[in-house]
Amino acid sequence: MKKYQFWFCTGSQDLYGDECLKKVAAHSQKMVEELNKTGKFPFELVWKPTLLSQEHIRRTLNEANMDENCAGVITWMHTFSPAKMWILGLKEFRKPLCHLHTQFNEELPYDTIDMDFMNENQSAHGDREYGHIVSRMGIERKIIVGHWSNERVQDQLASWMRTAIGVIESSHIRVCRFGDNMNNVAVTEGDKVEAQMKFGWEIDHYCVNDLVEYVDAVPKGEVDALVEEYYSKYDVIDEGRDLEEFKRHVTVQAQQEIGIEKFLKERNYHAIVTHFGMLGGLKQLPGLSIQRLMEKGYGFGAEGDWKVAAMVRLMKLMTADIPNAKGSSMLEDYTYNLVPGKEAILQAHMLEVCPSIADGKIGMKVCPLSMGSREDPARLVFTAKEGPGVATSLVDLGDRFRLLINAVDCKKVEKPMPKLPVGTAYWTPQPNLEIGATAWILAGGAHHTAFSYDLSVEQMVDWADAMGIESVVIDRNTTVKDFKNELRWNSMYYKFK
Ligand code: MN
């Protein structure tokens, strides 16, 4: 990840005279300084001189476009900044935009307030003038309202920064596919040209045997060292298997992990798609190897699902370096618990669940795969953490992409499942399984999801808005009646957009 920065641009005009403008500059400088000091922000705020004219605004916003480290611009109108001055700059601006609607002082200075103070501190109306033109121009932006020292405001700004990283980094995501979408499966399909136009994703294809060459060429010493790491990190659950044979199966995955990563690094890919039916010369379906690569930050999609692979990668980028992150993974709605009052969905996949979501100990198992024709693959097994998360599904509706965003509550299953040889998560979708699943199905959501504990519904909605695609949210407030209407109205909106 680059050392991204966010520019803090304050708007005003030269009508106010030097003395007032000096204070404007001092105020915004102080704010940026103090905000940076909080340690709350994943990226640095950079103060820019007060914007006073059309020419200056246009030049600054174009400099932001050109600056590789600038991931977005935060705007604030300290005083009144006639918004026609902003038109050309905003028209040419291409990066994430945030409108921080704040003011320097928190409280009315009751004893001293006079008209000079009023004229100097008028973001309440300056920001409305600016907001008008951004809305009239139809530009997507995040609006955050409140005093800049307020913790809620700072948290919102910090989480918007991560959304902005998702927007900026999206156009650098490159997905490497080994095998096409699984035959006859509809929801994992999609328009790759449109995806590149909308999200900037490059989605390429290789023959799986190109990868096999890399895997076969990994030196034995490197493989042995990695196997040793596996054995030191994970609990061996041999279930009576011959221990030497067990180790041979694990070794295959270690060799895959090194070979696949080398392939991806050399060609600059950040996400990978496999297909259990197209394994060429691979001895096992990549399981443990893919789990470890996901944990390192690579995106992954199974059965040719490049949309999920790119979304998982996106989530890994948006959540990079979060202290005490709880994890992100590809998951699949597998099977239900439908006992009244305990309704939930068991989430898993054939093998490929990211260990970043694991709670506690991780075990290593070798078991047969009920599909395909290869030898028994090694995999990591665990259960996932408790707490809120967000499950997303990006679907191609033919005329547009839709991002489904479901707030889910992760929990523990009631009893251990000793015979289940995969990593699992377990959640109840909000508002409950009945309405959550109804809405998900109505919206055409997939069985595969990109899931994270560390992102919010708000961040994913803001990301979809910035990418110019539809998003629908299923959360505590969802009712089937309103949700159905939203889908109907959206379909009309996007027909004429
Ligand atoms: Mn699947």
Side-chain angles (χ1 to χ4, degrees), residues 182 188 276 302-303 305 330-332 334 348-350 352 447-448:
M182 192 167 152
T188 56
F276 66 86
E303 293 106 34
D305 195 339
M330 172 193 158
L331 283 165
E332 183 169 72
Y334 235 106
H349 203 258
M350 291 167 85
E352 313 92 330
H447 50 287
H448 286 169

Coordinates of all heavy atoms in Angstrom, one line a residue, residues 182 188 276 302-303 305 330-332 334 348-350 352 447-448, ligand 1:
M182 N -17.8 -21.7 -13.4 CA -18.3 -23.0 -13.4 C -19.5 -23.1 -14.4 O -20.4 -22.3 -14.4 CB -18.8 -23.4 -12.0 CG -19.0 -24.9 -11.9 SD -19.2 -25.2 -10.1 CE -20.2 -26.6 -10.1
T188 N -22.3 -16.2 -10.8 CA -20.9 -15.9 -10.8 C -20.4 -15.3 -12.1 O -19.3 -14.9 -12.3 CB -20.0 -17.1 -10.5 OG1 -20.3 -18.2 -11.4 CG2 -20.3 -17.6 -9.1
F276 N -12.5 -26.1 -9.1 CA -12.2 -27.4 -8.7 C -12.3 -28.4 -9.8 O -11.7 -29.5 -9.7 CB -13.1 -27.9 -7.5 CG -14.5 -28.1 -7.9 CD1 -15.0 -29.3 -8.4 CD2 -15.4 -27.0 -7.7 CE1 -16.3 -29.4 -8.8 CE2 -16.8 -27.1 -8.0 CZ -17.2 -28.3 -8.6
A302 N -13.9 -18.7 -5.7 CA -14.0 -20.1 -6.1 C -14.8 -20.3 -7.4 O -15.7 -19.4 -7.7 CB -14.5 -20.9 -5.0
E303 N -14.7 -21.4 -8.0 CA -15.5 -21.8 -9.2 C -15.6 -20.6 -10.2 O -16.6 -20.4 -10.8 CB -16.9 -22.2 -8.7 CG -16.9 -23.4 -7.9 CD -17.2 -23.2 -6.4 OE1 -17.9 -22.2 -6.1 OE2 -16.6 -23.9 -5.6
D305 N -15.3 -17.4 -9.8 CA -16.0 -16.2 -9.4 C -15.1 -15.0 -9.2 O -14.6 -14.7 -8.1 CB -16.8 -16.5 -8.0 CG -17.8 -15.4 -7.7 OD1 -17.7 -14.3 -8.3 OD2 -18.7 -15.7 -6.9
M330 N -13.8 -14.6 1.6 CA -14.8 -15.1 0.8 C -15.6 -16.2 1.7 O -15.0 -16.9 2.4 CB -14.3 -15.9 -0.4 CG -15.4 -16.6 -1.2 SD -14.8 -17.7 -2.4 CE -16.3 -18.7 -2.6
L331 N -16.9 -16.1 1.6 CA -17.7 -17.2 2.2 C -18.9 -17.6 1.3 O -19.1 -17.0 0.3 CB -18.3 -16.6 3.6 CG -17.2 -16.6 4.7 CD1 -17.7 -15.7 5.9 CD2 -16.9 -18.0 5.2
E332 N -19.5 -18.6 1.8 CA -20.7 -19.1 1.0 C -21.8 -19.5 1.9 O -21.5 -20.2 2.9 CB -20.2 -20.3 0.2 CG -21.3 -20.9 -0.7 CD -20.8 -21.9 -1.7 OE1 -20.4 -23.0 -1.3 OE2 -20.6 -21.6 -2.9
Y334 N -24.1 -21.8 3.2 CA -24.0 -23.3 3.0 C -25.3 -24.0 3.4 O -26.1 -24.5 2.6 CB -22.8 -23.9 3.6 CG -22.0 -24.7 2.7 CD1 -20.8 -24.2 2.2 CD2 -22.4 -25.9 2.2 CE1 -20.0 -24.9 1.3 CE2 -21.7 -26.7 1.3 CZ -20.5 -26.2 0.9 OH -19.7 -26.9 0.0
A348 N -19.4 -21.4 4.9 CA -18.2 -22.1 4.7 C -17.8 -22.1 3.2 O -18.4 -21.3 2.5 CB -18.3 -23.6 5.2
H349 N -16.9 -23.0 2.8 CA -16.7 -23.3 1.4 C -16.1 -24.7 1.4 O -15.9 -25.3 2.4 CB -15.9 -22.2 0.7 CG -16.2 -22.3 -0.8 ND1 -15.4 -22.8 -1.7 CD2 -17.3 -21.8 -1.5 CE1 -16.0 -22.8 -2.9 NE2 -17.1 -22.2 -2.8
M350 N -15.8 -25.2 0.2 CA -15.2 -26.5 0.1 C -14.0 -26.6 0.9 O -13.8 -27.5 1.7 CB -14.9 -26.8 -1.4 CG -16.1 -27.0 -2.3 SD -15.6 -27.0 -4.0 CE -15.2 -28.7 -4.2
E352 N -11.9 -23.1 1.1 CA -11.2 -21.8 1.0 C -11.8 -20.7 1.9 O -12.5 -19.8 1.3 CB -11.1 -21.4 -0.4 CG -10.6 -22.4 -1.4 CD -11.8 -23.2 -2.0 OE1 -12.9 -23.3 -1.4 OE2 -11.7 -23.6 -3.2
H447 N -24.8 -16.8 -3.8 CA -24.5 -17.7 -2.6 C -23.0 -17.4 -2.1 O -22.7 -17.7 -1.0 CB -24.6 -19.2 -3.0 CG -23.9 -19.5 -4.3 ND1 -24.3 -19.1 -5.5 CD2 -22.8 -20.2 -4.5 CE1 -23.5 -19.6 -6.5 NE2 -22.5 -20.2 -5.9
H448 N -22.2 -16.9 -3.0 CA -20.8 -16.5 -2.6 C -20.9 -15.0 -2.0 O -21.6 -14.2 -2.6 CB -19.9 -16.4 -3.7 CG -19.4 -17.8 -4.2 ND1 -18.7 -18.0 -5.4 CD2 -19.6 -19.0 -3.6 CE1 -18.5 -19.3 -5.5 NE2 -19.0 -20.0 -4.5
Ligands
MN1 MN -18.8 -22.1 -4.2

